[in-house]
Amino acid sequence: MNLHINKKYTYLFFLFSLLISFYFGEDSSGGSELDYVSSKIFTKVFSDGYIGGILYFIDNGHDHFPFFYILISILEKSTNSITVHFLYLLISSFIPLIFYNILKKKITYANKNTLYLLSLILFFSPYVRSSAVWLTTDNLGIILFGLAISKYLSFENKTKNYFKYSLQCFFFLILASYTRQYYAIFFIIFFSLMFQKLRFRQIIIIIIFNFLVALPALVYIYFYISQNSLLSD
């Protein structure tokens, strides 16, 4: 099927639909607004201080990483809440484009216009739209994980510079795990898929690189366990 579409205008049309959703406060997923309201306190306490914010975060029983709220607090201190909301809305609109890039790398024989139209389906996702409007962690995790997949496919398809793509893949995967830690399980999957193509020295470098990028998370886990031990005593 030979489709002729203007990618720029179709993208702008769906981006405009997200702006309309923002204006009306769309929450078609059913829980994003509540998540946003309940998490605003974390952004506030991290703005007042990181150590106190982390302690408050742990004391309130959260077992996931607080890095998204730390990031939002930094951005809001630098600009303002409305600007951060619009920035996140714009970043969220890249999700279909990242998916399109993945499809092009994986399904090389397909018509690109067909793949582009297929990727636009994500604009209809109530979870993508609601997360874009209400500034929840979902979309950032999806974007970072999508970039990790894209870099893995580059690793898989390229005959050179594949070591560079492996580092980029793990970098985005670790960042995705900072927002939603269940993405960390894909480290084992990607590493096992890349293992045979990498030299021993490159494997060692990747392990060290991953350790350094994941170090803040490891420190937080240690802090989390120590704090919970103190609370249980």
Side-chain angles (χ1 to χ4, degrees):
M1 182 169 61
N2 189 16
L3 298 173
H4 297 280
I5 58 175
N6 189 305
K7 295 183 177 66
K8 179 176 69 174
Y9 287 117
T10 52
Y11 169 75
L12 290 176
F13 171 80
F14 282 107
L15 174 59
F16 181 73
S17 76
L18 284 180
L19 294 173
I20 297 298
S21 296
F22 179 78
Y23 179 79
F24 287 104
E26 178 185 341
D27 186 17
S28 49
S29 70
S32 295
E33 181 178 5
L34 181 61
D35 289 342
Y36 170 72
V37 172
S38 62
S39 65
K40 283 183 67 176
I41 182 61
F42 301 124
T43 304
K44 173 66 170 60
V45 294
F46 281 119
S47 297
D48 296 334
Y50 299 125
I51 300 299
I54 289 174
L55 289 173
Y56 183 86
F57 195 78
I58 294 173
D59 289 345
N60 277 267
H62 285 274
D63 55 1
H64 55 274
F65 297 137
F67 298 103
F68 178 81
Y69 305 107
I70 294 174
L71 175 63
I72 296 302
S73 70
I74 293 172
L75 291 175
E76 289 188 348
K77 286 172 69 175
S78 304
T79 55
N80 55 68
S81 180
I82 295 297
T83 302
V84 173
H85 269 77
F86 273 108
L87 178 63
Y88 195 67
L89 192 81
L90 178 62
I91 292 173
S92 296
S93 72
F94 294 157
I95 291 176
L97 301 183
I98 293 171
F99 185 53
Y100 171 56
N101 186 258
I102 291 171
L103 291 177
K104 284 195 301 180
K105 291 179 179 179
K106 189 62 179 177
I107 314 176
T108 55
Y109 55 84
N111 180 278
K112 291 183 179 179
N113 285 329
T114 303
L115 296 179
Y116 183 72
L117 286 176
L118 182 62
S119 69
L120 294 179
I121 293 175
L122 292 176
F123 273 115
F124 295 97
S125 167
Y127 297 98
V128 170
R129 299 184 70 85
S130 299
S131 179
V133 171
W134 291 106
L135 200 67
T136 64
T137 61
D138 307 70
N139 282 0
L140 183 59
I142 291 171
I143 288 171
L144 293 169
F145 183 59
L147 290 172
I149 293 175
S150 177
K151 295 302 178 182
Y152 168 73
L153 291 175
S154 294
F155 170 92
E156 187 181 65
N157 297 335
K158 301 294 183 180
T159 57
K160 60 181 181 179
N161 293 327
Y162 55 85
F163 177 59
K164 176 187 73 174
Y165 292 121
S166 67
L167 290 176
Q168 292 173 348
C169 172
F170 286 118
F171 176 73
F172 286 120
L173 180 60
I174 292 173
L175 293 184
S177 302
Y178 277 137
T179 59
R180 294 280 177 152
Q181 57 263 44
Y182 49 69
Y183 287 119
I185 189 64
F186 287 93
F187 173 85
I188 301 173
I189 298 173
F190 283 136
F191 189 78
S192 63
L193 291 171
M194 295 178 180
F195 182 81
Q196 291 184 340
K197 199 171 183 178
L198 295 167
R199 299 187 182 94
F200 178 75
R201 182 176 63 87
Q202 294 171 334
I203 293 172
I204 297 301
I205 293 173
I206 286 174
I207 292 173
I208 295 173
F209 173 79
N210 285 336
F211 174 78
L212 293 175
V213 178
L215 189 58
L218 298 174
V219 171
Y220 175 77
I221 291 171
Y222 173 79
F223 195 75
Y224 177 86
I225 294 173
S226 300
Q227 184 65 17
N228 276 315
S229 297
L230 290 174
L231 292 174
S232 61
D233 289 340

mmCIF file of all heavy atoms in Angstrom, residues 3-8 10 112-114 116-117 120:
data_model
loop_
_atom_site.group_PDB
_atom_site.id
_atom_site.type_symbol
_atom_site.label_atom_id
_atom_site.label_comp_id
_atom_site.label_asym_id
_atom_site.label_seq_id
_atom_site.Cartn_x
_atom_site.Cartn_y
_atom_site.Cartn_z
ATOM 1 N N LEU A 3 1.090 4.961 0.573
ATOM 2 C CA LEU A 3 0.415 6.091 1.185
ATOM 3 C C LEU A 3 1.275 7.332 1.056
ATOM 4 O O LEU A 3 2.495 7.288 1.185
ATOM 5 C CB LEU A 3 0.143 5.806 2.670
ATOM 6 C CG LEU A 3 -0.772 4.621 2.971
ATOM 7 C CD1 LEU A 3 -0.783 4.371 4.473
ATOM 8 C CD2 LEU A 3 -2.172 4.869 2.470
ATOM 9 N N HIS A 4 0.622 8.470 0.817
ATOM 10 C CA HIS A 4 1.322 9.744 0.739
ATOM 11 C C HIS A 4 0.757 10.651 1.823
ATOM 12 O O HIS A 4 -0.399 11.089 1.749
ATOM 13 C CB HIS A 4 1.139 10.377 -0.649
ATOM 14 C CG HIS A 4 1.732 9.570 -1.761
ATOM 15 N ND1 HIS A 4 3.075 9.578 -2.071
ATOM 16 C CD2 HIS A 4 1.148 8.697 -2.626
ATOM 17 C CE1 HIS A 4 3.303 8.770 -3.084
ATOM 18 N NE2 HIS A 4 2.162 8.211 -3.441
ATOM 19 N N ILE A 5 1.565 10.930 2.839
ATOM 20 C CA ILE A 5 1.120 11.772 3.940
ATOM 21 C C ILE A 5 2.196 12.793 4.257
ATOM 22 O O ILE A 5 3.379 12.590 3.988
ATOM 23 C CB ILE A 5 0.804 10.954 5.210
ATOM 24 C CG1 ILE A 5 2.035 10.159 5.651
ATOM 25 C CG2 ILE A 5 -0.387 10.049 5.014
ATOM 26 C CD1 ILE A 5 1.843 9.436 6.962
ATOM 27 N N ASN A 6 1.763 13.896 4.820
ATOM 28 C CA ASN A 6 2.688 14.930 5.260
ATOM 29 C C ASN A 6 2.969 14.710 6.741
ATOM 30 O O ASN A 6 2.115 14.968 7.591
ATOM 31 C CB ASN A 6 2.070 16.315 5.015
ATOM 32 C CG ASN A 6 3.082 17.423 5.244
ATOM 33 O OD1 ASN A 6 3.695 17.508 6.310
ATOM 34 N ND2 ASN A 6 3.251 18.276 4.242
ATOM 35 N N LYS A 7 4.150 14.200 7.040
ATOM 36 C CA LYS A 7 4.473 13.827 8.415
ATOM 37 C C LYS A 7 4.470 15.033 9.337
ATOM 38 O O LYS A 7 4.025 14.943 10.488
ATOM 39 C CB LYS A 7 5.833 13.117 8.458
ATOM 40 C CG LYS A 7 5.873 11.774 7.735
ATOM 41 C CD LYS A 7 7.222 11.128 7.908
ATOM 42 C CE LYS A 7 7.261 9.740 7.264
ATOM 43 N NZ LYS A 7 7.136 9.806 5.806
ATOM 44 N N LYS A 8 4.956 16.163 8.851
ATOM 45 C CA LYS A 8 5.049 17.341 9.709
ATOM 46 C C LYS A 8 3.668 17.811 10.146
ATOM 47 O O LYS A 8 3.435 18.073 11.332
ATOM 48 C CB LYS A 8 5.780 18.467 8.968
ATOM 49 C CG LYS A 8 5.897 19.752 9.786
ATOM 50 C CD LYS A 8 6.715 20.794 9.052
ATOM 51 C CE LYS A 8 5.969 21.307 7.834
ATOM 52 N NZ LYS A 8 6.696 22.431 7.167
ATOM 53 N N THR A 10 0.755 16.140 10.121
ATOM 54 C CA THR A 10 0.020 15.174 10.951
ATOM 55 C C THR A 10 0.546 15.186 12.385
ATOM 56 O O THR A 10 -0.232 15.102 13.342
ATOM 57 C CB THR A 10 0.140 13.742 10.380
ATOM 58 O OG1 THR A 10 1.523 13.426 10.156
ATOM 59 C CG2 THR A 10 -0.646 13.615 9.090
ATOM 60 N N LYS A 112 7.374 3.202 4.713
ATOM 61 C CA LYS A 112 7.614 4.096 5.842
ATOM 62 C C LYS A 112 6.383 4.917 6.216
ATOM 63 O O LYS A 112 6.164 5.218 7.396
ATOM 64 C CB LYS A 112 8.792 5.019 5.542
ATOM 65 C CG LYS A 112 10.126 4.289 5.497
ATOM 66 C CD LYS A 112 11.283 5.235 5.273
ATOM 67 C CE LYS A 112 12.603 4.473 5.260
ATOM 68 N NZ LYS A 112 13.761 5.380 5.026
ATOM 69 N N ASN A 113 5.589 5.287 5.232
ATOM 70 C CA ASN A 113 4.362 6.027 5.537
ATOM 71 C C ASN A 113 3.379 5.163 6.321
ATOM 72 O O ASN A 113 2.682 5.646 7.219
ATOM 73 C CB ASN A 113 3.702 6.531 4.253
ATOM 74 C CG ASN A 113 4.433 7.725 3.671
ATOM 75 O OD1 ASN A 113 5.023 8.521 4.399
ATOM 76 N ND2 ASN A 113 4.406 7.844 2.351
ATOM 77 N N THR A 114 3.332 3.876 5.985
ATOM 78 C CA THR A 114 2.479 2.953 6.715
ATOM 79 C C THR A 114 2.942 2.835 8.164
ATOM 80 O O THR A 114 2.132 2.849 9.097
ATOM 81 C CB THR A 114 2.475 1.563 6.051
ATOM 82 O OG1 THR A 114 2.052 1.688 4.690
ATOM 83 C CG2 THR A 114 1.539 0.617 6.792
ATOM 84 N N TYR A 116 4.633 5.046 9.811
ATOM 85 C CA TYR A 116 4.380 6.324 10.479
ATOM 86 C C TYR A 116 2.933 6.404 10.956
ATOM 87 O O TYR A 116 2.658 6.812 12.093
ATOM 88 C CB TYR A 116 4.696 7.476 9.533
ATOM 89 C CG TYR A 116 4.528 8.835 10.165
ATOM 90 C CD1 TYR A 116 5.434 9.289 11.116
ATOM 91 C CD2 TYR A 116 3.471 9.666 9.817
ATOM 92 C CE1 TYR A 116 5.291 10.527 11.713
ATOM 93 C CE2 TYR A 116 3.320 10.909 10.400
ATOM 94 C CZ TYR A 116 4.231 11.336 11.350
ATOM 95 O OH TYR A 116 4.072 12.570 11.941
ATOM 96 N N LEU A 117 2.001 6.018 10.108
ATOM 97 C CA LEU A 117 0.595 6.016 10.497
ATOM 98 C C LEU A 117 0.348 5.064 11.660
ATOM 99 O O LEU A 117 -0.435 5.355 12.567
ATOM 100 C CB LEU A 117 -0.287 5.630 9.306
ATOM 101 C CG LEU A 117 -0.469 6.689 8.220
ATOM 102 C CD1 LEU A 117 -1.282 6.116 7.061
ATOM 103 C CD2 LEU A 117 -1.158 7.931 8.778
ATOM 104 N N LEU A 120 1.344 6.625 14.935
ATOM 105 C CA LEU A 120 0.455 7.684 15.411
ATOM 106 C C LEU A 120 -0.664 7.149 16.305
ATOM 107 O O LEU A 120 -1.308 7.931 17.018
ATOM 108 C CB LEU A 120 -0.156 8.435 14.221
ATOM 109 C CG LEU A 120 0.809 9.244 13.355
ATOM 110 C CD1 LEU A 120 0.063 9.899 12.208
ATOM 111 C CD2 LEU A 120 1.539 10.297 14.186
#
